[in-house]
Amino acid sequence: MRVAMSMRRHHRAYAVRAHLLEMSGRFEAAAEDYARAAALSTSIPEQRYLNRRARNAPGARNAEEAWRRREAPGDCAARQRTEQAGMNVFIIGITGGVGGLLAEKLRSHGDAVHGLVRREDQQAGLAAQGVDARVGDLAGMTAEELAAAFAGSDAIVYTAGSNGGSREVTTAIDGDGVAKAIEAARVAGVDRLALVSVLPESWREHDLGEEVEYYFAVKKGADIALTRSDLDWLILRPSLLLDEPGSGTISLGPAEAHGQISRDDVAETLAELLHEPGIGRQILELNAGSTPVREAVRANVRGPLP
């Protein structure tokens, strides 16, 4: 009884088990657990994603109908109403290289995208692309003001960074900014926060100046702060970023070699990670590789269940 109640409270346990069943070829059982997870989730984007996985698995129709018969009528109706809803994502750093590409990819997935910009002309430019942006200075905003901007979001993605500039800017953006976003997410009731960080060994073969060393130290401190929060966090550490077309293939895992990767592939990976409910409270490193993005993300879903 205790185990059953625990499973009911944690829809992600069903999602992870469904993934493992699918990988082992037990497709009908996987479809049933995907449908169970969707019915138990309170997150609209997760419901949408899980229902899609349930429908697409071989044997899905019989499995999903079996679970529907066990659902309360109200739960079933609510799930059906939200199947077509998109994810609502707020991007801090939306005018940057990765943030801008991520916005494009999320919108192509059918998601609603919002962001924070510093100037009204940036706001107008994004509005023309279908993106709702708020004008504000991250360094000068309070956590409560930032929380107001986050209101209604399903997930927050923090892609802003100083890139090793002055200590003042590094502290404000890479350190205090992340801490403020964590607090604002709590206030706004947004559970999911993804942070784009940096590989700790980046450029260690070079003689780095004090400001760059400080940048790495602040980045690490921000990673620690997020992992110690009660949020459903994700930290992505990409290799050296390049401005070139994406390959669509990557190497993704808890530890990866430091090489280089296109910003386009980073954005595609982020979009896929945000739509994978089995990914959570994980640090993942990202490099160029030979595995298609979707497969690489699914390979990092947690499991097996205890």
Side-chain angles (χ1 to χ4, degrees):
M1 180 65 177
R2 183 175 298 175
V3 173
M5 289 300 293
S6 176
M7 289 288 285
R8 181 166 182 82
R9 284 195 297 268
H10 299 289
H11 67 280
R12 286 194 175 181
Y14 281 116
V16 172
R17 188 169 70 179
H19 171 75
L20 296 173
L21 289 167
E22 188 175 21
M23 296 296 287
S24 66
R26 298 173 61 187
F27 299 114
E28 188 167 340
E32 185 170 343
D33 271 358
Y34 278 130
R36 282 175 172 170
L40 296 175
S41 174
T42 59
S43 166
I44 289 175
E46 284 189 349
Q47 291 170 356
R48 176 175 174 263
Y49 171 83
L50 290 164
N51 279 311
R52 185 171 67 247
R53 292 286 286 271
R55 288 194 301 271
N56 292 342
R61 179 171 299 177
N62 292 339
E64 188 172 5
E65 286 305 316
W67 175 247
R68 281 178 186 269
R69 286 194 294 270
R70 289 196 290 272
E71 289 182 282
D75 290 342
C76 183
R79 179 165 61 82
Q80 289 176 320
R81 286 195 300 270
T82 59
E83 282 183 4
Q84 301 304 317
M87 182 179 283
N88 196 333
V89 182
F90 193 99
I91 303 173
I92 298 177
I94 195 168
T95 58
V98 172
L101 289 166
L102 175 61
E104 293 176 10
K105 293 179 185 299
L106 289 172
R107 290 189 65 246
S108 72
H109 284 209
D111 300 316
V113 181
H114 310 266
L116 183 69
V117 298
R118 287 180 289 179
R119 303 193 310 269
E120 291 184 356
D121 63 310
Q122 294 173 320
Q123 182 186 43
L126 287 170
Q129 301 171 33
V131 175
D132 176 30
R134 300 287 187 91
V135 177
D137 179 9
L138 178 62
M141 296 176 76
T142 65
E144 289 72 21
E145 290 170 335
L146 191 57
F150 289 166
S153 299
D154 298 302
I156 300 158
V157 184
Y158 197 109
T159 67
S162 66
N163 297 317
S166 70
R167 286 191 173 220
E168 291 77 12
V169 174
T170 295
T171 300
I173 302 301
D174 299 293
D176 294 345
V178 175
K180 192 179 298 182
I182 293 170
E183 179 59 26
R186 289 196 190 102
V187 172
V190 182
D191 188 48
R192 193 150 173 79
L193 196 161
L195 173 65
V196 178
S197 186
V198 64
L199 279 168
E201 64 269 30
S202 296
W203 293 98
R204 289 311 186 201
E205 69 274 20
H206 297 276
D207 183 17
L208 303 178
E210 290 185 2
E211 288 185 340
V212 177
E213 290 288 359
Y214 180 74
Y215 165 78
F216 281 112
V218 171
K219 281 288 200 184
K220 183 58 178 289
D223 289 358
I224 294 170
L226 183 55
T227 62
R228 291 179 178 174
S229 76
D230 56 358
L231 299 177
D232 180 19
W233 53 266
L234 169 68
I235 296 173
L236 184 66
R237 294 173 171 170
S239 292
L240 176 66
L241 299 175
L242 301 178
D243 289 316
E244 59 182 37
S247 66
T249 59
I250 59 171
S251 184
L252 179 72
E256 296 291 336
H258 177 253
Q260 56 189 27
I261 190 166
S262 73
R263 286 181 169 84
D264 188 73
D265 282 332
V266 175
E268 184 64 34
T269 303
L270 273 169
E272 196 67 35
L273 286 166
L274 288 171
H275 286 85
E276 175 49 74
I279 298 287
R281 300 184 72 82
Q282 291 168 258
I283 297 176
L284 296 173
E285 297 184 348
L286 176 64
N287 196 18
S290 59
T291 305
V293 171
R294 180 168 295 181
E295 290 182 23
V297 168
R298 291 180 66 185
N300 283 277
V301 171
R302 288 192 185 276
L305 294 176

